Amino acid sequence: MLGDDDDVFDSITWESPAPAASYDTQSVPSGPGFRQSTSDGNEGPLDPKWEGYLITHVKDPVKELAETKDAYVSYLVQAKSNLPIFSTPNPSARRRFQDFVFLRDNLVRDFPACVVPPLPDKHRLEYITGDRFSPEFMERRRLDLHRFLQRVSRHPTLQRSTLVRAFFESTEWHVHMHQHIAHPPGQEPTPGIIDNISDTLLNAFARVRKPDERFLDMREGVDKFEEGLTVSDRLYTRIRGRTSDGNSESGEDLTADYHDLAVAVQGLGFLESGITDQLNHFSNTLLEFSALLRHTTHTTTDPLLLHLHSLLSYSHANRAVLKLRDQKQLDFEELSDYLSGVTAERDRLAAVISGHAGSTGLGLGAYLKDRVDAIRGADDDRSRVEKMRKLDSRIKELQDAVTTAHETSDAFSDETLREQSIFQFAKEAEMKEMLGNLADGEIEFYKAVRDPLNVSIQ
């Protein structure tokens, strides 16, 4: 069994495990997702441990090699950190989308027990239509990449990886990429016969027979959270479609309806000469209201929908870690059963050789096996002894594999518990940010329309 201090999943080698340097706590954010230290002594052995802060930004998308077929977009990535692994407190570099993909893929490989945030999908319509260099698409991509790095920077393990440090600091990033592929951190396990047996068994069985109540509760919480995100996404998608779907012929574009009403009121002003000024003012107010609705849709509702989609993908990554933990437990359970079967067969042969028992009473399978061995001429004691020797060797191999699987399963479970705490911090921070932006946008909208409407009514 591994102790609480054994960390077999942090395969990245930390270059500077020294204590965190002093820093100004007033200059960095605090609260969930921006924990800076765990030195107060109140944390338990399974609580996440931060050594400092890492604040990241993605800015200034620029089209590189603009007049060639190899054109791409680069982004300025900046960071502010007091982590000892960084050689400078304010590193920065320019990276393209493929660099982000490399970072994410290798973090998933190097830290299998960590919830590594997802990246936006590259296979989008903009890549087919040629609009991937439009300002709107580049800004959406920049926002998605900014959110990805924010999630990485809030993770107490990922933020300290040498790959993340090189991503922000390295002036020879491509060289570092090749070195990382050629010499990955940690020892790569060599697949053996036990790994093959385990994979076969895992493919045959899909459910854990002895589920842990703690992880059942976590899975239930993830289900409820994703259900809430899905319902919110469906609701605001409907609101967005009915408010400003850009299709005036659909009959559900509220901004177009207000615009048409304004035009009708303005036309009425030409017929009612006595109240022309009032009708024109009311028409202008309706036009302003229609424009405000469209502006609120683009600045508040659309970012909300993008954040909901991103948060749902992040939750899927969290669910994948829970599923991987179940696979580790399945590994242990199925190897244990396989060991029991091999041990029973070895004990049966020992009983037959000693003359104390045969296949009688051991079931139809054992009886048929003895009959087949007799027909093949393999029922003599010499062949049984040789088979027992092979089974003894297999049992020893399986016992080592079961012990390793048990230790791995327990260690992975501990890591998963830490990951759920980290995900909760990140989720709280993002929900606060997302709902705060929604509230600010709605307040701004109602402040903007309050005074003009009051004047029109008067």
Side-chain angles (χ1 to χ4, degrees):
M1 299 291 292
L2 294 179
D4 291 331
D5 295 330
D6 293 331
D7 201 351
V8 299
F9 297 103
D10 289 354
S11 55
I12 289 288
T13 301
W14 311 129
E15 292 189 353
S16 303
S22 60
Y23 55 92
D24 182 9
T25 57
Q26 301 298 324
S27 63
V28 296
S30 60
F34 285 103
R35 298 287 298 278
Q36 298 169 17
S37 71
T38 52
S39 59
D40 55 10
N42 295 326
E43 285 76 14
L46 297 182
D47 291 330
K49 295 176 174 58
W50 281 263
E51 291 186 3
Y53 65 84
L54 175 63
I55 304 170
T56 61
H57 298 281
V58 179
K59 302 177 179 179
D60 188 25
V62 174
K63 184 178 180 181
E64 309 281 0
L65 305 177
E67 303 302 325
T68 69
K69 62 181 181 63
D70 298 322
Y72 64 92
V73 178
S74 69
Y75 303 86
L76 176 63
V77 294
Q78 296 177 325
K80 180 179 181 181
S81 177
N82 71 331
L83 292 169
I85 192 173
F86 286 91
S87 59
T88 174
N90 297 289
S92 65
R94 294 204 70 88
R95 300 287 181 250
R96 59 186 298 182
F97 183 75
Q98 291 180 359
D99 299 328
F100 286 86
V101 173
F102 179 88
L103 174 65
R104 200 262 173 185
D105 290 346
N106 283 272
L107 287 178
V108 170
R109 185 190 66 178
D110 297 338
F111 300 95
C114 291
V115 181
V116 181
L119 279 170
D121 188 9
K122 187 174 182 178
H123 303 288
R124 300 180 58 161
L125 184 60
E126 287 84 352
Y127 281 88
I128 301 176
T129 60
D131 294 333
R132 64 191 180 100
F133 296 117
S134 66
E136 295 80 8
F137 175 76
M138 288 194 297
E139 176 58 23
R140 288 199 304 271
R141 174 57 56 82
R142 183 204 65 80
L143 183 60
D144 287 334
L145 297 178
H146 173 74
R147 189 170 292 127
F148 165 76
L149 284 186
Q150 269 193 331
R151 290 166 175 168
V152 170
S153 67
R154 289 172 177 171
H155 196 290
T157 300
L158 301 180
Q159 67 173 195
R160 295 181 289 119
S161 73
T162 55
L163 190 61
V164 169
R165 185 212 60 188
F167 185 79
F168 285 102
E169 290 187 348
S170 178
T171 57
E172 297 181 345
W173 170 246
H174 291 287
V175 175
H176 191 91
M177 290 169 62
H178 290 300
Q179 290 177 346
H180 192 86
I181 294 174
H183 306 286
Q187 295 294 327
E188 292 290 335
T190 302
I193 184 172
I194 299 303
D195 298 309
N196 296 332
I197 292 172
S198 175
D199 291 340
T200 302
L201 292 170
L202 284 176
N203 291 332
F205 296 89
R207 298 182 67 87
V208 175
R209 292 197 297 274
K210 296 179 181 179
D212 191 320
E213 290 295 331
R214 297 174 299 176
F215 299 106
L216 289 178
D217 293 340
M218 289 179 185
R219 191 180 295 274
E220 182 179 357
V222 171
D223 290 339
K224 291 181 179 179
F225 178 62
E226 291 184 356
E227 181 182 1
L229 292 178
T230 302
V231 171
S232 299
D233 175 69
R234 189 179 301 120
L235 173 63
Y236 278 95
T237 298
R238 186 180 306 167
I239 291 174
R240 196 237 184 271
R242 293 182 176 180
T243 302
S244 180
D245 67 352
N247 182 11
S248 59
E249 297 180 357
S250 66
E252 292 188 350
D253 192 334
L254 193 58
T255 59
D257 292 341
Y258 275 111
H259 182 275
D260 294 343
L261 178 60
V263 173
V265 171
Q266 190 176 34
L268 183 61
F270 293 110
L271 301 177
E272 302 291 341
S273 58
I275 54 174
T276 299
D277 292 340
Q278 292 85 340
L279 289 175
N280 286 339
H281 181 74
F282 183 55
S283 173
N284 292 333
T285 301
L286 290 174
L287 288 174
E288 291 179 9
F289 185 72
S290 175
L292 279 172
L293 273 179
R294 184 173 286 105
H295 174 75
T296 301
T297 297
H298 294 325
T299 60
T300 302
T301 307
D302 287 349
L304 173 67
L305 289 172
L306 290 174
H307 204 156
L308 284 171
H309 296 162
S310 177
L311 198 53
L312 186 59
S313 297
Y314 195 17
S315 183
H316 290 338
N318 181 43
R319 180 188 293 275
V321 170
L322 289 173
K323 184 177 180 181
L324 185 56
R325 192 219 69 87
D326 289 345
Q327 290 179 349
K328 298 298 181 182
Q329 184 175 342
L330 273 171
D331 198 341
F332 167 66
E333 290 180 350
E334 300 306 328
L335 280 173
S336 298
D337 288 348
Y338 187 46
L339 173 61
S340 298
V342 174
T343 302
E345 173 64 13
R346 193 266 182 201
D347 293 342
R348 185 187 72 84
L349 288 175
V352 171
I353 292 174
S354 64
H356 296 295
S359 59
T360 305
L362 296 180
L364 180 60
Y367 174 78
L368 292 176
K369 185 174 180 58
D370 282 349
R371 294 301 91 202
V372 171
D373 288 342
I375 294 173
R376 294 170 54 193
D379 62 339
D380 58 298
D381 289 345
R382 181 181 301 175
S383 63
R384 291 193 181 100
V385 170
E386 177 63 20
K387 189 172 184 180
M388 281 184 58
R389 186 186 63 80
K390 294 180 179 179
L391 288 176
D392 286 337
S393 176
R394 176 61 63 87
I395 288 173
K396 179 63 171 63
E397 187 179 8
L398 285 170
Q399 285 174 340
D400 293 341
V402 168
T403 300
T404 301
H406 190 199
E407 293 174 348
T408 302
S409 178
D410 286 347
F412 207 98
S413 295
D414 291 344
E415 288 294 324
T416 303
L417 291 173
R418 293 189 188 97
E419 284 302 306
Q420 296 310 300
S421 299
I422 295 168
F423 183 76
Q424 288 299 320
F425 284 134
K427 184 178 71 173
E428 289 173 12
E430 290 203 27
M431 291 294 292
K432 182 178 180 180
E433 175 192 354
M434 180 176 66
L435 296 178
N437 291 338
L438 174 63
D440 291 342
E442 294 296 335
I443 291 173
E444 179 185 355
F445 168 75
Y446 285 110
K447 282 183 177 179
V449 301
R450 179 185 58 190
D451 295 336
L453 286 178
N454 287 339
V455 172
S456 297
I457 292 174
Q458 293 174 359

